[in-house]
Amino acid sequence: MNTKHTVGLSSTEIAGLWATYINDSLSICLSKHFLQQSNNEDVKPIIKLTLDISQKHIEEIKNIFEKENFPIPKGFSDEDIDLSAPPLFFDLFPVSYAYGMSRMGMMTYSMLLSNVAREDIRSFFSKCLTSTLDLYNASVNLMLSKGIYDRPTMIPYPDKVEFVKKKEIFLSKWFEKKRPLNVLELAEIFFNIERNYFALVLLTGFIQVVKDEQIKEFLTKGKDLAQKQIQFLNHTLIKEDLLGTVMINSEVSTSTVSPFSEKLIMNLVTILNTQGITYIGHALATSARIDLANEYSKLIPEILQYGKEGNDILIERGWMEEPPHAPNRKELAEN
């Protein structure tokens, strides 16, 4: 006789489901705005696919939580969007949005999948990863067909396999001649430039429509931080006689009417900032040249500080939904 051992959700499973619910409820709001305003018949299927994926995730997580008698997160809803607002971004930007978010999603879901054990939760995150991969492929194919995919730096193919002979040259110490950038470092530079250009577009649009001066100042600081990273990374490429990277599709409309609540905007920016720490941390771990590692190390505290400022605003405004947490045993003992 086969006995199935049934257990509740672990803390890592709750964390993954909860964060996915919050992020997908936010994504639904953006997708609804893009879909409402899009007149491009090539772009609409990508927006609909993005919306459909997020809505399916939400429904599945609701079903799981309801079976567990677990409270459903509030997340974001139609209260956080104004579908009558004019378009904030030009027609092709939703494709860049789907591309950027699917890249982050694939990384997030693969990590979440490796953190969960219960069969139904593994099945859920496996489907999340597959559907996000489908979105990534669809968005890249459309970007290539529209000529808006920013290709990474091209290098001549090597004619032989080589091994590192001198660690001093490979690590490029401060006062020694620096070796050329390798493909691992070039990849990190390109995708961090691309990620920051994506942030620049969003922040430019959001600064244009928010009315609250504290939030506008916070967003402006984020734009400056993104520009600083782009400048450093592009300067690194130019010093190596490589062309810098400029995002092709970066148009923001002239609208000053916000399609999104300031709560949604602040949460989206802090979420993207958290992802930025992950990407810069990965670049730091991958880069062997000391000059690169040093600059990445300087950026991380700035990104962390910016994130703290964003969290402070969210908490002050009552806009940060608190993740489920362990009981406070000391407080319980005092009662």
Side-chain angles (χ1 to χ4, degrees), residues 258-304:
S258 182
F260 312 113
S261 69
E262 291 177 339
K263 170 190 169 185
L264 184 148
I265 289 172
M266 283 296 304
N267 274 275
L268 176 58
V269 171
T270 52
I271 289 168
L272 292 176
N273 188 70
T274 301
Q275 290 289 336
I277 297 168
T278 303
Y279 280 102
I280 292 292
H282 190 269
L284 174 60
T286 304
S287 302
R289 268 184 35 174
I290 289 179
D291 59 326
L292 280 178
N294 183 65
E295 290 300 323
Y296 286 136
S297 297
K298 289 178 182 177
L299 286 172
I300 290 174
E302 293 184 49
I303 299 171
L304 287 169

Side-chain angles (χ1 to χ4, degrees), residues 11 14-16 18-19 22 70-71 73 315 320-326:
S11 57
I14 293 171
W18 185 89
I22 298 294
F70 195 93
I315 293 169
M320 178 182 284
E321 190 164 345
E322 187 171 2
H325 54 79

Side-chain angles (χ1 to χ4, degrees), residues 33 82 85-89 201-213 215-216 219-220 252-262 264-265:
H33 168 69
D82 177 4
L88 185 54
F89 305 100
V201 176
L202 281 174
L203 288 165
T204 299
F206 292 159
I207 290 167
Q208 198 166 284
V209 297
V210 297
K211 307 304 179 188
D212 186 290
E213 287 303 319
I215 294 174
K216 190 185 290 284
L219 297 176
T220 302
V252 178
S253 77
T254 57
S255 173
T256 57
V257 179
S258 182
F260 312 113
S261 69
E262 291 177 339
L264 184 148
I265 289 172

